[in-house]
């Protein structure tokens, strides 16, 4: 019984089926209890049990999961949102108070994680040795996880993100296809070998230098930006493969609409031949 109570930490709700009168389990939590050991197999246990009138046991999927590398003793995050926000580091959900939050734990060889719940609209964690991040918020998110150790990030369930900063990580690629509200994405200095920004009809800032995108992906990105028809933007693919001749028209069109376009142009080498006529005579 003591193990059961300690596992609930006083505030975790549990269901119990009361016999005869009720035809469904009722929900309780035990905020206080006292224990006295008398002798072997003899204990006094007093429990204060409160019924949850709504009969609800909190559950559901978190809106963000942030995993930090081992060897760190704290994780600093700026979290903002609509309504109440909660976090869980393994001991149940706790209300987030304020925007600036520091989560602490022993500095061990274990990777610690924080689960965030609620309508998150802003999440910032810069230079925090974050190795993995998953976002599931439907809000118009502002995300800044620059300067971490990210290799992969799951953004597919946050299609309404407006600003994404993932600069200075080790992410293998960026896929934000169909993110119609996305305005600026910073993917500078990663290990990106693929990029997909098709269908990003609001995108006017693509900072993606310092990657290794192949020519076809750079060409496709420039075509997608040109097709959106937006004015006064910035795109930088310096460091990736050069564009093909087919992209020159898109680059010219973007420049004419007030875009700053930075890229490499490495046209295929076409060898030339010459002929000579040597005349000899006596």
């Amino acid at each position: 019984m003591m193990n059961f109570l300690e596992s609930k930490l006083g505030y975790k709700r549990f269901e119990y089926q009361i016999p005869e009168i009720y035809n469904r389990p009722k929900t309780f939590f035990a905020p206080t209890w006292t224990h006295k050991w008398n002798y072997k197999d003899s204990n006094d246990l007093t429990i204060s049990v409160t019924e949850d009138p709504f009969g609800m046991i909190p559950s559901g999927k978190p809106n963000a999961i942030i995993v930090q590398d081992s060897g760190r003793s704290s994780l600093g995050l700026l979290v903002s949102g609509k309504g109440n926000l909660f976090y869980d580091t393994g001991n149940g959900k706790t209300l987030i108070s304020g925007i600036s939050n520091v989560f602490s734990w022993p500095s061990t060889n274990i990777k610690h994680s924080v689960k965030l719940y609620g309508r998150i609209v802003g999440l910032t964690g810069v230079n925090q040795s974050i190795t993995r991040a998953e976002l599931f918020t439907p809000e118009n998110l502002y995300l800044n996880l620059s300067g971490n150790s990210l290799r992969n990030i799951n953004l597919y369930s946050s299609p309404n993100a407006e600003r994404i900063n993932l600069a200075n990580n080790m992410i293998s690629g960026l896929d934000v296809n169909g993110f119609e509200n996305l305005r600026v994405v910073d993917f500078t200095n990663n290990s990106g070998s693929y990029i997909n920004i098709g269908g990003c009809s609001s995108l006017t800032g693509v900072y993606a230098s310092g990657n290794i995108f192949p020519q076809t992906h750079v060409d496709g990105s420039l075509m997608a930006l040109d097709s959106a028809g937006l004015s006064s933007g910035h795109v930088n693919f310096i460091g990736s493969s050069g564009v093909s001749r087919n992209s020159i028209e898109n680059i010219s069109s973007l420049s004419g609409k007030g875009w700053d376009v930075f890229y490499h142009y490495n046209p295929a080498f076409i060898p030339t031949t010459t002929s000579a006529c040597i005349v000899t005579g006596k």
Side-chain angles (χ1 to χ4, degrees):
M1 188 65 180
M2 282 299 299
N3 289 336
F4 174 80
L5 290 171
E6 289 173 353
S7 70
K8 299 303 177 183
L9 300 175
Y11 61 84
K12 290 187 178 180
R13 288 156 173 76
F14 60 92
E15 289 185 339
Y16 181 73
Q17 177 68 63
I18 298 176
E20 296 184 5
I21 299 177
Y22 300 98
N23 60 3
R24 67 180 62 184
K26 298 180 77 64
T27 303
F28 303 91
F29 62 98
T32 60
W33 64 84
T34 59
H35 171 238
K36 178 184 177 183
W37 181 83
N38 298 320
Y39 49 85
K40 183 179 179 181
D41 297 329
S42 177
N43 296 267
D44 292 335
L45 185 61
T46 303
I47 310 170
S48 175
V49 177
T50 302
E51 180 185 357
D52 181 354
F54 297 102
M56 298 176 60
I57 296 180
S59 60
K61 188 166 110 173
N63 292 79
I65 301 175
I66 305 297
V67 180
Q68 187 185 50
D69 202 1
S70 59
R72 295 289 296 264
S73 60
S74 65
L75 170 64
L77 296 177
L78 299 177
V79 187
S80 61
K82 301 176 181 177
N84 290 330
L85 303 178
F86 300 85
Y87 73 89
D88 184 358
T89 58
N91 296 317
K93 295 178 184 176
T94 302
L95 182 67
I96 294 177
S97 58
I99 295 177
S100 180
N101 297 270
V102 177
F103 308 96
S104 301
W105 32 62
S107 178
T108 64
N109 59 354
I110 299 175
K111 291 184 177 182
H112 296 278
S113 64
V114 175
K115 295 179 180 179
L116 302 172
Y117 298 81
R119 301 176 63 184
I120 301 170
V121 298
L123 177 59
T124 297
V126 178
N127 299 325
Q128 295 296 309
S129 295
I130 297 170
T131 61
R132 183 168 65 89
E134 298 182 61
L135 285 302
F136 310 98
T137 177
E139 307 298 331
N140 295 355
L141 177 68
Y142 175 92
L143 177 68
N144 185 354
L145 296 178
S146 59
N148 285 288
S149 304
L150 285 166
R151 293 184 179 274
N152 293 286
I153 182 168
N154 182 355
L155 293 169
Y156 302 122
S157 297
S158 297
N160 295 318
E162 285 193 6
R163 302 177 72 90
I164 298 174
N165 188 344
L166 300 173
N168 302 311
N169 280 284
M170 298 174 285
I171 306 173
S172 58
L174 178 68
D175 187 352
V176 288
N177 180 52
F179 283 35
E180 296 181 355
N181 295 322
L182 185 60
R183 300 178 183 277
V184 177
V185 58
D186 191 339
F187 200 70
T188 306
N189 295 332
N190 274 276
S191 304
S193 60
Y194 66 87
I195 182 171
N196 186 353
I197 57 173
C200 296
S201 54
S202 302
L203 191 57
T204 56
V206 181
Y207 300 82
S209 61
N211 287 279
I212 52 173
F213 301 127
Q215 184 181 85
T216 54
H217 287 227
V218 178
D219 285 348
S221 298
L222 292 170
M223 181 181 296
L225 294 172
D226 187 24
S227 298
L230 300 177
S231 301
S232 301
H234 177 99
V235 55
N236 190 336
F237 282 115
I238 294 293
S240 294
S241 296
V243 301
S244 68
R245 284 190 172 91
N246 294 331
S247 278
I248 298 302
E249 183 177 343
N250 297 126
I251 293 170
S252 177
S253 177
L254 287 168
S255 298
K257 287 182 274 192
W259 281 66
D260 297 320
V261 185
F262 299 88
Y263 62 98
H264 286 306
Y265 178 49
N266 298 317
F269 174 70
I270 303 176
T272 58
T273 59
T274 58
S275 60
C277 180
I278 300 176
V279 179
T280 60
K282 296 181 180 179

